[in-house]
Amino acid sequence: MDRFRYDTIAQAVHWLTAIAVIGVFASGQIMDDMARGPAKTQLIGLHMSFGVTVLVLTVIRLARRIVVPQPEPIPGSPLVQMAARAMHLALYVALVVVPVAGVLMVWAKGRGVDVFGLFTLPPLIGPDRGFASNLSEIHEFGANLIVILAGLHAAAAIVHHAVLKDGAIARMLPFGEPRHG
Ligand code: HEM
Ligand code: HEM
């Protein structure tokens, strides 16, 4: 493995997460505006299934980070490197908190979470409307936060690539030259 490039699994999980987050966020917004009915129920089912997928991908990613050596950081001022680390940490926290709040919210409404019709996560907490409503706020706020953070993160990656020309995006791609110096 190139010591300046994330390995193939880290790359795959990164881009699958990015695509899933966009789909889950968009479906969340759309279902919010839909009238009750079978179409809405079906969309919520997909939203929950892909949302749980984001959580599973994030847990795999965090676990791998502990055991697999990470590429060397992009050279730069300590302040910028600290900002990048803080951004990644904030994204990770949000990628865990938002789907967990989603699952807990559905449980607190007294329902289980069906995942692609394959299995159901049965409620591990009792019904509690007040708790469900707080979790709904956290879920919505956190979802908006992910999109803002990911937007800033993508903008930073593009500035690295296009302005600083340090091959930063190639670190997360199987092609291109991640430059280092
Ligand atoms: C990264 C993962 C997720 C993102 C980005 C996300 C995003 C969203 C968004 C943007 C909304 C609309 C909020 C609003 O405007 O009211 C929403 C609603 C909702 N989400 Fe998620 N979601 C995720 C994961 C999950 C999971 C794992 C579940 C449950 C298993 C879930 C269950 C729900 C439900 C039931 C609603 C309906 C509205 C409510 O009562 O707040 N979500 N989600
Ligand atoms: C929802 C969208 C996204 C999320 C949640 C996300 C999340 C993350 C996280 C947590 C990392 C830390 C590395 C790791 O531990 O795997 C990372 C790295 C990275 N991301 Fe993203 N990302 C998203 C979208 C994007 C986009 C659109 C781009 C490109 C335009 C991008 C480019 C990169 C690059 C180049 C790195 C490596 C940075 C480095 O080596 O310091 N990401 N991303």
Side-chain angles (χ1 to χ4, degrees):
M1 191 197 85
D2 188 330
R3 63 197 174 95
F4 298 102
R5 205 190 280 278
Y6 287 87
D7 67 17
T8 310
I9 296 176
Q11 291 180 9
V13 173
H14 176 267
W15 294 112
L16 283 175
T17 302
I19 293 166
V21 163
I22 293 167
V24 175
F25 184 81
S27 61
Q29 298 294 352
I30 294 166
M31 69 205 203
D32 199 35
D33 294 334
M34 281 170 87
R36 278 188 197 193
K40 179 167 181 166
T41 307
Q42 215 165 21
L43 190 61
I44 294 180
L46 278 175
H47 175 88
M48 296 195 295
S49 299
F50 280 104
V52 170
T53 307
V54 169
L55 180 60
V56 171
L57 288 173
T58 305
V59 170
I60 292 174
R61 198 164 168 182
L62 287 170
R64 279 192 92 246
R65 264 187 84 99
I66 298 170
V67 285
V68 178
Q70 296 294 296
E72 285 185 21
I74 301 170
S77 81
L79 202 68
V80 171
Q81 290 190 337
M82 220 170 69
R85 274 210 305 275
M87 174 59 91
H88 296 164
L89 181 69
L91 278 166
Y92 277 127
V93 171
L95 288 171
V96 171
V97 169
V98 172
V100 166
V103 171
L104 287 173
M105 163 175 65
V106 175
W107 283 352
K109 288 178 181 172
R111 298 196 297 266
V113 174
D114 177 83
V115 181
F116 296 117
L118 297 173
F119 57 90
T120 302
L121 305 172
L124 297 181
I125 55 174
D128 182 337
R129 289 181 70 159
F131 190 40
S133 144
N134 290 338
L135 288 163
S136 171
E137 297 288 326
I138 294 171
H139 188 68
E140 185 179 352
F141 176 80
N144 291 328
L145 193 66
I146 291 184
V147 169
I148 293 167
L149 294 178
L152 292 171
H153 162 79
I158 292 166
V159 167
H160 270 280
H161 176 83
V163 181
L164 304 173
K165 299 195 192 300
D166 55 10
I169 297 180
R171 290 161 63 83
M172 245 334 153
L173 293 171
F175 50 84
E177 182 58 34
R179 259 171 285 143
H180 13 89

